[in-house]
Amino acid sequence: MKVGIGILGAGIVGGTLAAKLIEEADAIEAKSGLVLDVVKVGVRNLGKERPFDLPSDRITDNPEEVVDHPDVQLVVELMGGLEPAGSLVKRSLEAGKPVVTANKELVAAHGLELNGLAHDQGVAFLYEAAVGGGIPIIRPLSQSLAGEKLTRVLGIVNGTTNFILTKMSEEGAAYEDVLAEAQALGYAEADPTADVGGGDAAAKAAILASLAFGAWIPGDDVPRTGIDGIAVEDLLRADDLGYAVKLLAIAEEYEEGIAVRVKPTLVPHDHPLASVRGAQNAIFVEGPAIGELLFSGPGAGGDPTATAVLGDVIDAARELLAGAQVTPPVRFQPSKTLADGQIATRRYYRLLVKDAPGVLAAIAEVFGQHGVSIASVWQEGTGDDATLLLITHRALESEQDAAVDALEGLDVVNDVAAVLRVLIAD
Ligand SMILES: NC(=O)c1ccc[n+]([C@@H]2O[C@H](COP(=O)([O-])OP(=O)(O)OC[C@H]3O[C@@H](n4cnc5c(N)ncnc54)[C@H](OP(=O)(O)O)[C@@H]3O)[C@@H](O)[C@H]2O)c1
């Protein structure tokens, strides 16, 4: 059974997908019973070399031609960005054409609207590759685990930052040096802001949280702290204390609401996420019935990502041919999200202090005034530039922030040099 496919974008992922659809057509047909015919591919630059062979009249620089082509029954959006990708996806769904995308930015910003439109039109809107690249995680969260009351999802969902943090902690190298190396190797973009600033991970965190808890969380609502500005000494000290530092997407459901965050976090060495190295991604899912599940693998790259997209294309094509929504989208309920500061967490602090009698007592008093109790303290050095490392028990973040403001006003504290979240693993 034949389905006409239109592909918007033929770069790293779109180019690999088109090549797979063409070169592996027999294998795809043997396994799925489907003939997936690449009818039209939209690109920006018609002169660029592509990794697939198609007659030139099947490639266009007018993306609307892809969506509107009468033989295109299913649209795959792999252009990236909010526009024109968003309008083209909407146009496709409005025309009753199912859409597959890998665009986390678009899904995190407009997923609710696009999901609703797909639902109304009775067609698929699938985005397995938008989080975790080649790792199946969207389908497990929205389908396999639909009957579980998930409590927490933790993810290492940005390979660039995990590569940087791994190198820094294993080689003791400075952030700027490792970033430059990551750029030279192609792991980081020339403008790395979306990765190192936590924006990419925040979009993915929003998608994971929305599916896990069945409540739509817009990407812009996710508080994020990136790894730009992280000091190698904190990674090395954390390692000595028994922790790896990871940029975590953290989605938790509390009685008061849902808390979704992206934060550099100390993860105990014996937690499965601590050993996820380099550009790998991993998502750790917790629930009362399933206990703990770990999904890990390549979070990006043409082949892994195009494979995830192809899985969605096959599902959407089957659904189209069946003439029914086999996998209706998750129904999202309204929910309250908890802003930064509104949850209780454990934290690691590195304070630069004067080593004088009563310093520790003064610091402990400030924390105590804000209801923060200290679990462990380590001191290094003496004189005017001693270092104190503190790990607190669980305490309200807004109170911990207020304690930091007060600490900065103490004569004996030269600097609050680092504040990082500590994962509560139990
Ligand atoms: N790369 C990965 O490993 C990965 C992993 C997971 C998800 N994703 C997501 O997959 C999507 C595609 O990523 P990518 O890495 O494949 O991007 P890419 O290599 O930059 O490719 C983008 C493609 O879209 C085309 N394009 C862009 N703007 C266009 C416009 N206005 N009109 C027509 N064509 C346009 C480009 O045309 P030209 O080729 O002519 O420039 C190019 O073929 C993004 O949403 C990304 O977040 C990527």
Side-chain angles (χ1 to χ4, degrees):
M1 283 179 289
K2 189 162 155 178
V3 175
I5 311 291
I7 305 177
L8 296 164
I12 296 171
V13 184
T16 311
L17 176 74
K20 269 186 195 297
L21 286 170
I22 295 162
E23 289 158 22
E24 297 169 21
D26 290 347
I28 292 169
E29 185 180 0
K31 209 165 169 188
S32 68
L34 295 166
V35 175
L36 302 175
D37 181 31
V38 182
V39 173
K40 207 87 173 169
V41 177
V43 296
R44 198 165 24 196
N45 178 355
L46 287 173
K48 241 190 221 175
E49 212 173 299
R50 306 287 166 187
F52 52 87
D53 255 343
L54 266 185
S56 59
D57 64 345
R58 291 200 179 200
I59 306 182
T60 175
D61 59 3
N62 176 3
E64 290 180 1
E65 262 183 42
V66 177
V67 173
D68 297 343
H69 196 292
D71 295 337
V72 168
Q73 297 165 275
L74 187 160
V75 174
V76 188
E77 186 279 304
L78 297 167
M79 295 164 74
L82 292 180
E83 284 301 336
S87 304
L88 293 162
V89 166
K90 208 168 159 208
R91 187 180 177 107
S92 308
L93 292 171
E94 280 168 349
K97 299 185 182 188
V99 172
V100 172
T101 180
N103 189 338
K104 66 248 153 186
E105 202 185 342
L106 179 65
V107 177
H110 300 299
L112 186 60
E113 178 196 351
L114 296 172
N115 205 64
L117 181 55
H119 197 262
D120 293 347
Q121 294 288 90
V123 296
F125 174 60
L126 302 178
Y127 43 90
E128 181 59 71
V131 183
I135 307 169
I137 184 63
I138 300 297
R139 222 173 246 89
L141 285 181
S142 51
Q143 294 175 27
S144 326
L145 297 169
E148 171 67 312
K149 185 147 179 40
L150 297 172
T151 48
R152 181 161 79 164
V153 179
L154 303 169
I156 295 173
V157 289
N158 182 276
T160 306
T161 45
N162 204 51
F163 173 85
I164 294 173
L165 291 173
T166 306
K167 278 249 167 199
M168 285 175 72
S169 90
E170 290 181 359
E171 297 173 10
Y175 169 77
E176 289 74 16
D177 296 340
V178 180
L179 173 60
E181 187 185 344
Q183 285 170 319
L185 288 170
Y187 283 129
E189 309 262 341
D191 175 3
T193 318
D195 291 322
V196 300
D200 174 83
K204 293 167 179 171
I207 298 170
L208 291 175
S210 301
L211 294 171
F213 304 128
W216 191 260
I217 307 212
D220 283 349
D221 286 4
V222 177
R224 78 279 316 253
T225 305
I227 63 157
D228 37 353
I230 201 154
V232 65
E233 53 189 304
D234 290 307
L235 272 59
L236 300 177
R237 287 195 161 102
D239 190 44
D240 288 344
L241 302 179
Y243 299 91
V245 178
K246 298 289 179 191
L247 184 67
L248 287 193
I250 307 168
E252 299 164 300
E253 187 159 41
Y254 293 86
E255 270 177 28
E256 306 79 30
I258 294 170
V260 193
R261 307 278 184 272
V262 171
K263 300 278 173 189
T265 305
L266 271 66
V267 179
H269 278 152
D270 61 0
H271 190 279
L273 290 178
S275 52
V276 177
R277 298 177 61 253
Q280 290 291 100
N281 280 198
I283 296 112
F284 191 78
V285 180
E286 301 172 16
I290 47 108
E292 296 169 343
L293 297 175
L294 179 69
F295 302 80
S296 69
D303 264 321
T305 310
T307 300
V309 173
L310 181 52
D312 276 352
V313 170
I314 290 171
D315 257 15
R318 282 185 176 141
E319 206 174 289
L320 187 73
L321 293 171
Q325 257 187 330
V326 185
T327 53
V330 174
R331 285 167 186 269
F332 297 105
Q333 306 300 321
S335 178
K336 186 171 169 227
T337 51
L338 300 175
D340 229 358
Q342 286 186 300
I343 58 169
T345 59
R346 298 187 73 189
R347 280 187 179 171
Y348 157 100
Y349 291 91
R350 176 163 56 90
L351 307 181
L352 306 183
V353 299
K354 295 187 177 72
D355 180 28
V359 170
L360 197 53
I363 290 168
E365 191 185 339
V366 167
F367 274 118
Q369 283 164 352
H370 291 277
V372 183
S373 85
I374 297 168
S376 319
V377 185
W378 299 265
Q379 178 171 347
E380 292 168 12
T382 50
D384 268 354
D385 53 0
T387 299
L388 268 190
L389 304 180
L390 306 167
I391 290 187
T392 67
H393 285 297
R394 190 194 290 248
L396 200 60
E397 287 180 329
S398 56
E399 288 296 329
Q400 301 211 44
D401 291 340
V404 168
D405 289 345
L407 286 173
E408 279 168 343
L410 287 185
D411 279 351
V412 291
V413 175
N414 297 330
D415 190 20
V416 180
V419 180
L420 295 168
R421 187 164 168 173
V422 176
L423 182 68
I424 299 168
D426 45 61

